[in-house]
Amino acid sequence: MPTLTVDQVDARILKGGSCRSQEVVDAGFAAGDSVIALNINPATHTRLPRYIRGKRGTVAFDHGVFVFPDTLAERQGEQPQHCYSVCFTFQELWGPQASAIDCLYIDMFESYIEHIEGAQP
Amino acid sequence: MNGAHDLGGMHGLGPVNPYPEEPLFHEEWERRIFAMYVATLFVGIYAIDELRKNIEVMHPTHYLDSTYYEHWAYCVEKSLIDRDVISEAQVLERMNQLAGEAA
Amino acid sequence: MSRHGHNHSPSPSQLSLRVKALESLLVEKGYFESAALDRIVETFEHKVGPRNGAKVIAKAWVDPAYKQRLLADSTAAIAELGYSGAQGEDMVVVENTPTVHNLVVCTLCSCYPWPTLGLPPTWYKMPPFRSRAVIDPRGLLKDEFDLEIAANVQLRVWDSNAELRYLVMPMRPAGTEGYSEEQLAELVTRDSMIGVGLALAATA
């Protein structure tokens, strides 16, 4: 591993390190799809928070293909996959007392969501 | 993992108190660990997800009771040890050495 | 492991010594030079900050074609002004309108768009903000930031849990028709780009 020297720092900061993947991967979901977040409880790393698990939402847009943090954190490969902005209503997340108009957007990897059977896209 | 870091929707954590503004860094060691977090990613020792994972394994009482840069100090050290870049013994030995030089 | 098995914080002096030991070991092993760390600190403590984001927003307010590009491909449009890289590799700009207010949070850690906003304020990283922003954002904004969102305005909360970084485009304040881009940028606060505030009112 080459040493990071002071003269390399500015360029390195500007370059960053995108987690976007160049691999071509099919998208299983599209904007407007009704989805449900999986109810998973891994003892390992995940970016699927508890308050989203088991909740129903709608795909807002597709961010493209990204490496998968759940496996990368465990040093088990990149598993590149689509990542989607998914919209959940506050009432779905927090019940009928919650705001009827507010919503939460969160980024869901392909592995975190399933189609809701019988739902019309 | 279902750790203390997964905070969305939790109650009772107190006020945010956003003002007055705090400085970006309170102590010199915070500057150093911030830069090491960034530099170790730049040289490619590990993925950022390994650092995040190693914050999440902090004991919940420690996680909730410590500052953000303490989380970073914890996860950088643990991730370096996981990657066999350094060992716990080396860290302790170097701490003793540095403390001796300062005394 | 003496520290990693513990539930509580080491003393500040122990922590400082521990961090010094890490730096000393990593420099010795040739991963970086200490001057590289100095440069990283200098950049993020003094050079990069919310003035960058403010220039992006002000430009979008005066230049409809830029605004269109900014909303369609935020990363590329922000890079046009020279802001890109670490923790801003993949950007999404979300627009406030008379009927929509956006708020950004990272419930799992402290993800934040560094090239446009710099490093996050302490409160953004701490549990009280991260926990409440997704379950009671209206109460949070009112109680802590003195910002009341009208009942007929939809609040959209963005939990930046993956590698996308979000920047809010606040609404252009009324009465700024004659303002230059530079004058407008002065009205764009950091808080307005997180969504915990609005752009400042016109001064004249």
Side-chain angles (χ1 to χ4, degrees), chain C residues 59-81:
Chain C
K59 186 172 174 62
W61 281 347
V62 300
D63 180 345
Y66 181 74
K67 178 177 163 181
Q68 204 169 22
R69 292 202 296 284
L70 184 63
L71 294 173
D73 184 347
S74 305
T75 311
I78 292 168
E80 286 178 33
L81 301 196

Side-chain angles (χ1 to χ4, degrees), chain C residues 143-158:
Chain C
D143 297 346
E144 303 276 1
F145 297 93
D146 203 20
L147 177 62
E148 196 153 1
I149 305 298
N152 62 343
V153 171
Q154 183 189 44
L155 192 53
R156 294 183 181 169
V157 180
W158 299 81

Side-chain angles (χ1 to χ4, degrees), chain A residues 76-114:
Chain A
Q76 287 174 5
E78 295 192 341
Q79 298 201 8
Q81 54 189 275
H82 282 260
C83 181
Y84 309 88
S85 177
V86 178
C87 176
F88 295 87
T89 68
F90 265 57
Q91 293 203 339
E92 170 68 10
L93 294 177
W94 309 113
Q97 305 300 314
S99 162
I101 62 169
D102 297 345
C103 57
L104 180 124
Y105 289 79
I106 187 164
D107 296 325
M108 292 282 104
F109 288 90
E110 183 101 16
S111 297
Y112 292 167
I113 49 177
E114 280 179 349

Side-chain angles (χ1 to χ4, degrees), chain C residues 20-100:
Chain C
K20 279 195 182 107
L22 290 179
E23 179 173 345
S24 161
L25 286 167
L26 291 172
V27 167
E28 184 177 282
K29 288 170 190 285
Y31 288 96
F32 46 73
E33 35 179 52
S34 278
L37 300 190
D38 298 340
R39 184 74 182 167
I40 292 169
V41 170
E42 188 190 337
T43 302
F44 286 103
E45 191 169 15
H46 300 297
K47 294 187 177 162
V48 179
R51 294 300 88 213
N52 292 358
K55 287 178 191 161
V56 171
I57 302 302
K59 186 172 174 62
W61 281 347
V62 300
D63 180 345
Y66 181 74
K67 178 177 163 181
Q68 204 169 22
R69 292 202 296 284
L70 184 63
L71 294 173
D73 184 347
S74 305
T75 311
I78 292 168
E80 286 178 33
L81 301 196
Y83 312 131
S84 58
Q87 290 302 308
E89 292 93 345
D90 294 283
M91 293 291 300
V92 177
V93 173
V94 291
E95 182 187 13
N96 284 354
T97 70
T99 55
V100 173

Side-chain angles (χ1 to χ4, degrees), chain A:
Chain A
M1 228 168 258
T3 304
L4 180 73
T5 58
V6 63
D7 54 296
Q8 295 167 346
V9 166
D10 291 4
R12 198 60 193 75
I13 289 171
L14 270 178
K15 176 166 166 263
S18 177
C19 293
R20 207 174 269 285
S21 170
Q22 297 311 309
E23 287 207 25
V24 178
V25 180
D26 288 341
F29 302 88
D33 285 1
S34 296
V35 296
I36 183 165
L38 298 185
N39 180 15
I40 53 167
N41 286 272
T44 48
H45 181 73
T46 183
R47 299 296 286 181
L48 174 53
R50 274 176 283 193
Y51 77 96
I52 296 295
R53 297 174 194 168
K55 300 294 198 281
R56 290 154 188 260
T58 307
V59 175
F61 47 94
D62 182 350
H63 292 300
V65 179
F66 283 79
V67 295
F68 189 44
D70 300 36
T71 46
L72 264 179
E74 310 296 333
R75 294 161 68 182
Q76 287 174 5
E78 295 192 341
Q79 298 201 8
Q81 54 189 275
H82 282 260
C83 181
Y84 309 88
S85 177
V86 178
C87 176
F88 295 87
T89 68
F90 265 57
Q91 293 203 339
E92 170 68 10
L93 294 177
W94 309 113
Q97 305 300 314
S99 162
I101 62 169
D102 297 345
C103 57
L104 180 124
Y105 289 79
I106 187 164
D107 296 325
M108 292 282 104
F109 288 90
E110 183 101 16
S111 297
Y112 292 167
I113 49 177
E114 280 179 349
H115 286 282
I116 297 175
E117 278 179 45
Q120 295 301 312

